[in-house]
Every structure is written in structure tokens, then in C-alpha cells.
Amino acid sequence: MSGIGYREERAAGLACVWRAALPADAGGPFRQRVVPDGCVDLIWWGRDARITVAGPDTGPAPAELAPGDRLFGVRLRPGTAAPVLGVAVDAVRDARIPLRELWGDEAERLAAAADPRAALLGAVRARLAGPVDPFVPALVAGLGAGSVREAADALGFGERQLRRRAAAAFGYGPKTLQRVLRFQRALGMARAGRPLAEVAYAAGYADQAHLAHEVRALGGVPIRSLL
């Protein structure tokens, strides 16, 4: 029996592009826990030539590949998906929907293209070609440095306006976005081998118990299980 093949590649302006495949002789499905990262993925499924939008998650989500499945994904950085999707990102939060619901016939043409990888990547890049909303990096930086109120003050927004803008751009309100970004920082540090007590402090948690509580809330399992 063979195992899953997975590979990520860097791509300018994107979180990454990735491929996954489970050989037909795998002997059974491959199941995985997907944890929140603030990203949106557009996923081409080779089995039935369809493209799915995986919206930003607020908790762990199950994913499954069947033997013989082939996937290609374009992962959009937090805050960049709205111009690609054509809708506010909170419309796809915690959702898995067909891209055709947003792009209509174009999604069907891309899924059936001779080279769907190149076709999908080109379509995404065309939608990312416009100017970047300066609100996105400014909010990420503000939430990394201080509280939601401090971020709102720095941007010159009221908290209600900040929640509305954040939900449209990221799919989350600013408090949830802050939790997700902090969670991902902590995972990155832990995967690099830093002690968990040090990770908790460096990532911005009150203490290691706070880190453990947040990881279980967002990831569904203790941090060592995710690692």
C-alpha cells in the first residue's frame, strides 16, 4: 500500500500552491484535521473535475481523500480572498462550497481545462492584480502588537466599523482573527523546536495554560498532537 503524497510550493502573492494525491492502492481513505490559519483555499478535485472553495475556519475541520484522489490547491493569504472570490469573506467562513456558486460558468471551464492547475492559478492571479487594500497589513500588524481597541484607534476606526471591515476582508472579526494569527505563530514556533513555555510567552499568551486552552479550542487536540 502507498501513502499520501503532498507538496507545497511558494508562489508570489499567495500563501502557497499545493498538490496532494492518494494512490489507488492506498487501501483506504486518508483523514486529516485541518486547523484554522486565516487562509482561503481554492481546490481542484481531479476525480470529478470540480473546484471547491474552502473558507477560513474558526475551528478544526475534517478532510478526507479517497484512494485515487488527486487535488491541486491555491491558498490565499489572510485578507486577500475577497477580490478573488467576489464576495465578502465571511460569506464562506467555515464553509466548503463549489466555486461555480461564485464564478458561474467560468469555474466549470477552469475545472475542465486541459491544464486546470495553470488555468486556476492564472484566474486567481488576474483577480489579485489590483491594488492591495492597506487596511489588511495594517490590521494584521496592529493585532500582533496590541489589543483590538488599540488596533482600531491606530487605524482611526470605531470598533463596530473595524469588525465589519475585518469580517469582509478576513472572514473573522478582529478578536477571532487575532486568536487565529496567534495560534499559527505558536504552532510555527513549536514546530521549530522551541519549548512550549517559551512559545507561550513569545506568541503573546498569558502563560502556557492559556496556550494549551487556545490550541485545544482552535485545533481540537493538545498542541503535541498537532505537532
Side-chain angles (χ1 to χ4, degrees), residues 99-117:
L99 183 61
R100 67 175 177 270
E101 292 187 9
L102 305 178
W103 287 11
D105 291 344
E106 181 182 3
E108 302 289 347
R109 291 194 296 271
L110 294 172
D115 186 350
R117 177 184 184 278

Side-chain angles (χ1 to χ4, degrees), residues 6 41 44 70 98 117 145 176 189 196:
Y6 179 81
D41 286 60
W44 175 79
R70 294 180 299 119
R117 177 184 184 278
T176 300
M189 293 176 193
L196 293 184

Side-chain angles (χ1 to χ4, degrees), residues 5 52 71 73 75 86 90 118 123 160 198 227:
T52 298
L71 284 70
R75 182 165 297 148
D90 56 345
R160 181 176 297 180
E198 181 181 318
L227 300 179

Side-chain angles (χ1 to χ4, degrees), residues 2-150:
S2 303
I4 188 173
Y6 179 81
R7 184 176 68 183
E8 291 184 0
E9 301 172 11
R10 296 186 180 214
L14 302 169
C16 69
V17 294
W18 55 269
R19 298 172 183 267
L22 189 63
D25 64 351
F30 174 83
R31 297 182 178 89
Q32 184 177 8
R33 181 189 305 270
V34 177
V35 299
D37 60 4
C39 296
V40 172
D41 286 60
L42 275 60
I43 307 168
W44 175 79
W45 294 73
R47 177 174 46 180
D48 48 10
R50 60 185 165 91
I51 301 174
T52 298
V53 177
D57 294 316
T58 57
E64 180 175 303
L65 272 70
D69 272 351
R70 294 180 299 119
L71 284 70
F72 165 73
V74 176
R75 182 165 297 148
L76 301 165
R77 290 175 177 169
T80 65
V84 174
L85 301 179
V87 297
V89 182
D90 56 345
V92 297
R93 181 177 56 234
D94 289 321
R96 304 294 185 267
I97 66 170
L99 183 61
R100 67 175 177 270
E101 292 187 9
L102 305 178
W103 287 11
D105 291 344
E106 181 182 3
E108 302 289 347
R109 291 194 296 271
L110 294 172
D115 186 350
R117 177 184 184 278
L120 178 58
L121 189 55
V124 169
R125 288 198 184 284
R127 286 166 171 77
L128 285 173
V132 175
D133 184 351
F135 166 79
V136 168
L139 179 58
V140 170
L143 293 177
S147 68
V148 171
R149 180 178 292 277
E150 288 168 338

